[in-house]
Amino acid sequence: MLNPWRLRLLHQLHLLGTVRAVAEAAHMSPSSVSQQLATLETEAKAQLFERVGRRIRLTPSGVTLAAHASEILDRIAAAEADLAGLHSEATGVVRVAAFTSAFHGIVVPAVAALAREHPRIQVELTEAEPLVSRPALQRGEVDVAVCADFPDAPVPPDAGLARLPLTGDRVVLVTARETATGERTGRVDLATLANEPWAFEHPGAHLADLAERLCGRAGFTPRTVARFESYGTLLGHVEAGLSVTLLPLLAVHDRYAVRTLDLVDPPRRDIHLVVRRTTMDRAAVRVVVDALRHQARSA
């Protein structure tokens, strides 16, 4: 009989590629992971792995079993939930991962409403960008991921995942309220801001790279005076009149004394939920998904 726990290790090996990476994700030693995978191979009565140098890779049989592992594990969870009455009653733990700017406008208000209306649902939140949350969803580490992408960087579809629309968002210019730049009206042409001091996230962050590409298309290289890890410190810098920046509108919290101005032909991003198709069998997951979608519509 195939062991579900070992199937999870196999599924993670298929996604992560190395025993060491699986060991780190599972908080185990590499030797323990290797031992459990060897036991799974015996249980499967098929050769699941082959050695290539110092690493192992999945054989065709291993790939076939790994492709089923996520669904098998979700079905086991669904069966356990059914026995516990979780399908007919919205209760239990639902793990949600969301990118930073979705928290204050969508996720936190939705979870607050759930706490009032469905006190038997426990929502566990993780802050994670889509490049992290989507693989975590595939590995079964979270149940719902709030994701976003731009048309210039679409995410390829996955047959095991369902994508549910939430809302749209646009990139805006952000300035301090009390500056000459902040006195502008109408749509802003970025070319007129070539001499402004700019602040962004660190290089490599998708939004920072997008903002700098937009400036490049407008014909200038931004004079970058600051780089930040978080939107909060970035907005604080802008609020002080030390810089301007480009951010999605959802990322601009109203507690900062900043002003947002629309761009000429602004880039827009699509915000959506991603769930494993099999987890939608759980009543609690459906309730959480509905709450997030309702909040996104009213935000």
Side-chain angles (χ1 to χ4, degrees), residues 176-204:
R177 286 181 187 164
E178 305 301 330
T179 65
T181 302
E183 293 168 3
R184 293 169 179 264
T185 59
R187 292 183 178 272
V188 177
D189 182 349
L190 278 182
T192 64
L193 299 166
N195 295 322
E196 294 291 334
W198 289 84
F200 301 110
E201 294 175 281
H202 288 288

Side-chain angles (χ1 to χ4, degrees), residues 43-76:
E43 292 172 346
K45 299 181 176 64
Q47 183 181 354
L48 303 179
F49 316 101
E50 57 187 4
R51 186 163 293 279
V52 180
R54 300 180 63 184
R55 298 174 60 179
I56 64 170
R57 68 181 180 192
L58 300 184
T59 64
S61 295
V63 170
T64 297
L65 183 56
H68 288 286
S70 179
E71 183 175 349
I72 290 170
L73 294 167
D74 280 338
R75 290 299 180 190
I76 290 173

Side-chain angles (χ1 to χ4, degrees), residues 37-269:
L37 291 174
T39 301
L40 177 64
E41 192 170 50
T42 301
E43 292 172 346
K45 299 181 176 64
Q47 183 181 354
L48 303 179
F49 316 101
E50 57 187 4
R51 186 163 293 279
V52 180
R54 300 180 63 184
R55 298 174 60 179
I56 64 170
R57 68 181 180 192
L58 300 184
T59 64
S61 295
V63 170
T64 297
L65 183 56
H68 288 286
S70 179
E71 183 175 349
I72 290 170
L73 294 167
D74 280 338
R75 290 299 180 190
I76 290 173
E80 291 172 342
D82 201 19
L83 290 173
L86 297 183
H87 280 260
S88 57
E89 184 178 359
T91 184
V93 177
V94 178
R95 301 160 299 173
V96 177
F99 59 92
T100 305
S101 58
F103 265 82
H104 83 268
I106 298 175
V107 177
V108 170
V111 172
L114 283 166
R116 294 190 299 270
E117 299 167 14
H118 297 275
R120 298 190 65 185
I121 294 178
Q122 177 184 341
V123 180
E124 294 183 355
L125 295 178
T126 300
E127 184 179 358
E129 293 302 306
L131 286 176
V132 175
S133 63
R134 190 180 175 96
L137 184 73
Q138 291 171 315
R139 293 193 298 269
E141 295 169 3
V142 299
D143 302 306
V144 181
V146 182
C147 297
D149 56 35
F150 286 91
D152 67 334
V155 177
D158 185 313
L161 303 179
R163 175 175 170 143
L164 307 171
L166 275 185
T167 187
D169 197 13
R170 65 187 185 279
V171 174
V172 295
L173 174 71
V174 188
T175 75
R177 286 181 187 164
E178 305 301 330
T179 65
T181 302
E183 293 168 3
R184 293 169 179 264
T185 59
R187 292 183 178 272
V188 177
D189 182 349
L190 278 182
T192 64
L193 299 166
N195 295 322
E196 294 291 334
W198 289 84
F200 301 110
E201 294 175 281
H202 288 288
H206 180 73
L207 292 175
D209 292 348
L210 173 66
E212 292 181 84
R213 286 201 306 274
L214 292 173
C215 293
R217 291 174 192 169
F220 69 95
T221 299
R223 178 166 61 90
T224 305
V225 298
R227 297 276 185 180
F228 297 100
E229 290 283 354
S230 72
Y231 293 147
T233 48
L234 172 55
L235 287 167
H237 195 263
V238 172
E239 179 183 45
L242 300 173
S243 61
V244 299
T245 194
L246 294 172
L247 284 176
L249 185 59
L250 193 62
V252 185
H253 198 289
D254 55 13
R255 70 171 177 268
Y256 295 96
V258 297
R259 186 181 183 192
T260 60
L261 295 166
D262 282 330
L263 303 175
V264 174
D265 191 24
R268 298 181 180 275
R269 64 176 179 173

